[in-house]
């Protein structure tokens, strides 16, 4: 068993005076109010209302402001407008869309800095109270974002960037205080799924470090306070980040335990056969075997029913035959929460063939055609804590909010008009790859750098744009990330970035340090790695020289974490 140690992340910036209370916050919501986001107003309003319900809103503790923008910014209410939670929630319930054709996100950020995070508007920045900005935007900006965003960071504002639908990734990266504070969603409804995570950020503990003396020519100019935000995500971060204890296996023999949970209620009688065919097609793409991929199937309506366990069948053909013989269960009501709880306690255990204690990725694929009549949030949270990755697949009759709540992340929610369309999405469950290129950027490789670039471009051209992710790191004495696995969404963007790379240069070569950087900063969930989902992790190394530091320990560690290393000399 892996013991989960509490993890916290610290971010420092300049403040002026000590914080007088650890629970105090000034929180500003900056909302896209343009015409393109009008349809998302209900979800936006509900997101803010839920946040307000869970915060200690009071003029002496948490203060809240809401600003909308499109071409220009409009103050809905300031930090010192309302002094009670009841008044804030009442105002939020009356929120209407501002309207407007274009987005000037940069101007809105500047407006917030100049007119909202000020003492006159209720900001307590001068008293050392943490300043937080939550930006929700649904499209690209018509003006510059980077400059105003940098000004906010320099003034000590911690910004969380939430992009929805057509938001531009580069703009979100500019706005967010850290890449860890970027949420890129495909639909407004997904806001309700991430609301608990954002709330965890905001309600986490914040501490103060001792004063730091800033001097010049031995003169003391001022003594600013370094304010440190320590976000302790507790069980959430433990669930997302605790390492798998993988046994070294070949890439083409990656191990996964996959449980399919199928809606067998009265409402899915006509669509049960397409569900079973979907499972068979996924199984066809898996590498079935006792030491490779294992599969089981559970059907449910009012109660769950096991058709076979993870250790029941050892061959693909046996699984096919068993699925072919499945009979629709029938029944009502639909209790998806009960099915999830049962699956966690009875399927993802060693006695049923699960290798969860060995660190093998655990995957649950839920296919449902209706709204659950019981609670799904608590069982879904329990699955996440055990790091069981849940894909929620629903048809037009499924409840979208429930699907998002049950999914491991918003990106794990898949919808189809009817279950006959399931053949379009099985690829998403089995064919991903995360590919990282580590390139020697020392002075000795300057003449061959363009050839390395061309080789990387050739490999990238062969990757699947919709399924694979790419990152590039250069190194000499120390490593530098050119871009991360989640930096770009299209192959064209990746290729442009590779072509525009400049040779890093440097005299010494520390391959061990570069590999450690790759493990701790690239193959991580926050920077786009899907290792926790069982996605194959591949590292290409262009070394071309003898390392000045030890590489054996970290190389072994990479293998233990199931990262396939390919050296190119």
């Amino acid at each position: 068993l892996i013991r989960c140690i509490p993890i916290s992340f610290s971010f420092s910036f300049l403040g002026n005076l000590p914080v007088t209370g650890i629970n105090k916050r000034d929180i500003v919501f900056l909302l896209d109010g343009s015409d393109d986001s009008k349809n998302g107003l209900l979800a936006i309003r509900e997101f803010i209302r839920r946040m307000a319900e869970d915060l200690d809103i009071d003029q002496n503790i948490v203060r809240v402001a809401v600003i909308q923008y499109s071409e220009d910014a409009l103050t809905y209410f300031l930090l010192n407008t309302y002094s009670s939670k009841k008044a804030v929630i009442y105002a939020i319930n009356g929120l209407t869309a501002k309207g407007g054709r274009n987005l000037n996100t940069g101007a809105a950020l500047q407006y917030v800095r100049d007119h909202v995070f000020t003492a006159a508007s209720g900001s307590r920045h001068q008293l050392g109270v943490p300043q937080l900005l939550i930006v929700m935007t649904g499209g690209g900006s018509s003006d510059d974002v980077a400059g105003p965003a940098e000004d906010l960071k320099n003034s000590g504002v911690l910004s969380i960037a939430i992009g929805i639908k057509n938001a531009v990734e580069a703009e979100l990266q500019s706005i967010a205080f850290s890449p860890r504070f970027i949420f890129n969603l495909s639909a407004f409804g997904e806001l309700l799924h991430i609301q608990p995570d954002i709330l965890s950020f905001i309600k986490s503990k914040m501490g103060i470090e001792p004063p730091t003396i800033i001097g010049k020519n031995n003169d003391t100019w001022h003594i600013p306070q370094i304010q440190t935000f320590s976000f302790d995500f507790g069980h959430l971060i433990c669930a997302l980040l605790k390492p798998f204890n993988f046994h070294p296996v070949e890439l083409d023999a990656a191990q996964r335990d996959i449980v399919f949970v199928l809606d067998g209620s009265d409402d899915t009688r006509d669509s049960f056969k397409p569900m079973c065919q979907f499972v068979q097609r996924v199984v066809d793409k898996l590498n079935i075997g006792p030491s490779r991929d294992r599969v089981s199937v559970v059907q449910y309506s009012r109660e769950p029913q096991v058709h076979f366990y993870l250790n029941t069948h050892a061959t693909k053909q046996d699984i096919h035959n068993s699925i072919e013989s499945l009979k629709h269960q029938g029944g009502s009501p639909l209790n998806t929460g009960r099915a999830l709880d049962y699956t966690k306690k009875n399927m993802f255990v060693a006695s049923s063939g699960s290798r969860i204690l060995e660190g093998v990725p655990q995957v649950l694929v839920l296919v449902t055609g209706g709204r659950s009549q019981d609670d799904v949030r608590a069982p879904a949270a329990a699955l996440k804590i055990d790091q069981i990755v849940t894909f929620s697949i629903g048809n037009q009759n499924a409840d979208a909010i429930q699907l998002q709540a049950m999914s491991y992340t918003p990106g794990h929610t898949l919808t189809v008009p009817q279950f006959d369309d399931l053949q379009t999405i099985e690829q998403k469950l089995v064919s991903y790859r995360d590919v990282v290129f580590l390139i020697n950027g020392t002075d000795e490789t300057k003449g061959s750098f363009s050839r390395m670039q061309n080789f990387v471009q050739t490999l990238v051209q062969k990757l699947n744009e919709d399924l694979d992710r790419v990152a590039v790191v250069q190194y000499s004495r120390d490593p530098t990330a050119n871009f991360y696995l989640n930096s770009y969404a299209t192959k064209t963007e990746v290729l442009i970035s590779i072509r525009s790379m400049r040779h890093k240069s440097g005299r010494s070569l520390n391959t061990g340090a570069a590999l450690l950087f790759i493990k701790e900063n690239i193959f991580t969930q926050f920077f786009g790695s899907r290792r926790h989902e069982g996605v194959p992790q591949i590292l290409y190394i262009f070394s071309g020289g003898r390392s000045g530091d030890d590489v054996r320990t970290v190389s072994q560690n990479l293998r233990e974490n199931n990262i396939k290393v390919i050296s190119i000399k």
Side-chain angles (χ1 to χ4, degrees):
L1 287 171
I2 298 171
R3 183 182 179 188
C4 194
I5 300 171
I7 300 171
S8 64
F9 296 92
S10 296
F11 305 92
S12 299
F13 56 82
L14 294 180
N16 290 316
L17 294 171
V19 175
T20 55
I22 63 172
N23 295 320
K24 296 186 177 183
R25 311 282 187 272
D26 291 339
I27 305 169
V28 177
F29 293 90
L30 180 60
L31 315 176
D32 178 343
S34 65
D35 295 340
D36 290 341
S37 297
K38 276 185 177 180
N39 292 336
L41 178 65
L42 290 177
I44 291 173
R45 194 162 58 199
E46 180 62 13
F47 171 84
I48 302 173
R49 189 195 65 78
R50 291 188 185 185
M51 294 287 287
E53 285 278 10
D54 289 327
L55 292 170
D56 294 324
I57 294 178
D58 181 279
Q59 281 295 292
N60 293 320
I61 307 175
V62 176
R63 297 182 181 181
V64 173
V66 174
I67 313 296
Q68 275 196 79
Y69 81 102
S70 50
E71 290 94 350
D72 53 5
L74 174 67
T75 298
Y76 193 64
F77 58 86
L78 293 170
L79 292 163
N80 55 4
T81 301
Y82 300 114
S83 59
S84 69
K85 178 184 293 192
K86 183 177 181 180
V88 167
I89 292 174
Y90 184 84
I92 291 168
N93 288 336
L95 183 67
T96 58
K98 175 182 184 299
R101 297 181 62 183
N102 299 316
L103 282 176
N104 288 325
T105 307
L109 294 174
Q110 193 66 44
Y111 176 88
V112 166
R113 180 181 180 273
D114 295 342
H115 301 284
V116 183
F117 286 115
T118 64
S121 297
S123 169
R124 294 167 291 176
H125 176 63
Q126 298 299 319
L127 299 176
V129 174
Q131 308 289 286
L132 297 103
L133 172 66
I134 300 175
V135 181
M136 284 180 260
T137 181
S141 179
S142 300
D143 61 357
D144 172 63
V145 172
E150 190 64 22
D151 289 342
L152 277 167
K153 293 174 187 177
N154 291 337
S155 65
V157 175
L158 189 150
S159 298
I160 297 170
I162 304 174
I164 309 160
K165 294 183 67 176
N166 300 315
V168 177
E169 178 70 20
E171 292 178 4
L172 298 178
Q173 291 172 357
S174 294
I175 294 168
F177 188 80
S178 157
R180 294 181 176 91
F181 300 107
I182 298 173
F183 296 82
N184 209 344
L185 313 179
S186 60
F188 285 94
E190 294 175 8
L191 281 168
L192 305 182
H193 183 76
I194 66 169
Q195 183 264 336
D197 297 348
I198 303 251
L199 189 67
S200 294
F201 294 166
I202 293 173
K203 296 178 75 171
S204 55
K205 296 177 183 178
M206 299 181 182
I208 298 300
E209 294 182 357
T212 300
I213 297 176
I214 305 297
K216 183 178 181 181
N217 296 328
N218 296 320
D219 293 327
T220 300
W221 289 84
H222 57 280
I223 306 177
Q225 190 76 16
I226 303 297
Q227 188 169 314
T228 303
F229 287 73
S230 299
F231 294 100
D232 183 1
F233 300 104
H235 283 108
L236 175 64
I237 287 299
C238 287
L240 298 182
L241 297 184
K242 69 180 179 183
F244 285 117
N245 185 23
F246 283 110
H247 293 287
V249 294
E250 293 299 318
L251 179 65
D252 61 357
Q255 299 171 302
R256 283 164 293 189
D257 294 337
I258 305 175
V259 179
F260 292 89
V261 180
L262 308 179
D263 179 346
S265 65
D266 293 339
D267 291 338
T268 63
R269 188 174 302 278
D270 294 336
S271 55
F272 190 69
K273 185 176 180 180
M275 284 190 206
C276 294
Q277 292 171 339
F278 161 72
V279 176
Q280 289 176 313
R281 286 194 300 271
V282 174
V283 169
D284 282 338
K285 295 178 174 63
L286 297 174
N287 201 352
I288 300 295
S291 61
R292 297 185 177 182
D293 293 328
R294 297 181 184 179
V295 170
S296 71
V297 172
V298 174
Q299 190 183 168
Y300 78 101
S301 53
R302 181 186 180 90
E303 299 289 343
Q305 174 187 345
V306 179
H307 286 284
F308 56 90
Y309 294 90
L310 289 163
N311 55 4
T312 301
H313 301 302
T315 69
K316 190 175 293 188
Q317 188 59 51
D318 287 342
I319 293 174
H320 252 281
N321 293 341
S322 185
I323 294 171
E324 194 70 37
S325 66
L326 282 181
K327 303 299 182 185
H328 185 255
Q329 176 180 333
S332 65
L334 187 67
N335 291 326
T336 309
R338 184 177 299 178
L340 294 178
D341 182 61
Y342 178 89
T343 301
K344 175 185 177 297
K345 294 176 179 177
N346 295 276
M347 307 303 287
F348 290 110
V349 292
S351 59
S352 297
S354 168
R355 294 161 292 178
I356 190 170
L357 300 182
E358 302 169 36
V360 173
Q362 307 290 289
V363 180
L364 188 156
V365 181
L366 170 70
V367 185
T368 184
R371 175 180 174 81
S372 177
Q373 298 305 303
D374 62 356
D375 173 61
V376 300
R377 291 185 178 272
L383 287 165
K384 292 178 184 178
I385 289 173
D386 280 0
Q387 208 165 0
I388 297 166
V389 177
T390 302
F391 289 84
S392 298
I393 303 171
N395 66 0
Q396 59 189 359
N397 297 320
D399 186 284
I401 293 177
Q402 285 187 348
L403 289 176
Q404 291 158 11
M406 292 183 288
S407 298
Y408 193 68
T409 73
H412 292 73
T413 303
L414 307 169
T415 57
V416 290
Q418 299 181 16
F419 287 129
D420 291 338
D421 300 315
L422 281 169
Q423 67 267 21
T424 64
I425 62 175
E426 67 261 15
Q427 282 279 353
K428 295 186 177 182
L429 300 176
V430 295
S431 299
Y432 295 107
R433 283 173 295 180
D434 293 336
V435 182
V436 178
F437 296 95
L438 179 60
I439 300 174
N440 181 344
T442 59
D443 296 340
E444 293 180 358
T445 64
K446 190 171 185 179
S448 59
F449 186 70
S450 61
R451 291 197 297 275
M452 286 191 280
Q453 278 180 295
N454 292 335
F455 185 79
V456 172
Q457 289 182 79
T458 301
L459 290 177
V460 171
Q461 288 280 15
K462 297 177 182 179
L463 297 176
N464 190 313
E465 178 174 31
D466 296 324
L467 305 178
D468 299 324
R469 294 180 181 178
V470 175
V472 173
V473 176
Q474 275 194 77
Y475 78 106
S476 51
R477 179 173 182 171
D478 52 12
T480 301
N482 288 93
F483 56 88
Y484 296 92
L485 290 164
N486 55 3
S487 294
Y488 301 115
T490 68
K491 185 183 293 186
T492 299
E493 291 174 313
V494 170
L495 292 171
I496 290 172
S497 184
I498 293 170
R499 282 196 293 269
S500 64
M501 284 194 317
R502 297 290 180 262
H503 186 254
K504 176 178 172 61
S505 75
R507 298 180 64 182
S508 58
L509 187 71
N510 289 329
T511 307
L515 292 176
L516 184 62
F517 176 85
I518 292 284
K519 175 183 175 292
E520 295 184 347
N521 296 278
I522 305 298
F523 285 120
T524 63
Q525 184 184 4
F526 280 126
F527 289 104
S529 170
R530 296 162 292 178
R531 181 167 64 91
H532 59 287
E533 302 170 27
V535 173
Q537 308 287 284
I538 306 170
L539 173 62
Y540 287 93
I541 302 178
F542 298 81
S543 56
R546 184 178 181 83
S547 176
D549 61 356
D550 174 62
V551 300
R552 293 186 180 182
T553 302
V554 68
S555 295
Q556 176 65 23
N557 196 249
L558 288 170
R559 288 192 293 271
E560 289 172 353
N561 282 274
N562 208 32
I563 296 170
K564 179 80 170 182
V565 180
I566 302 171
S567 296
I568 301 173
K569 297 182 179 179

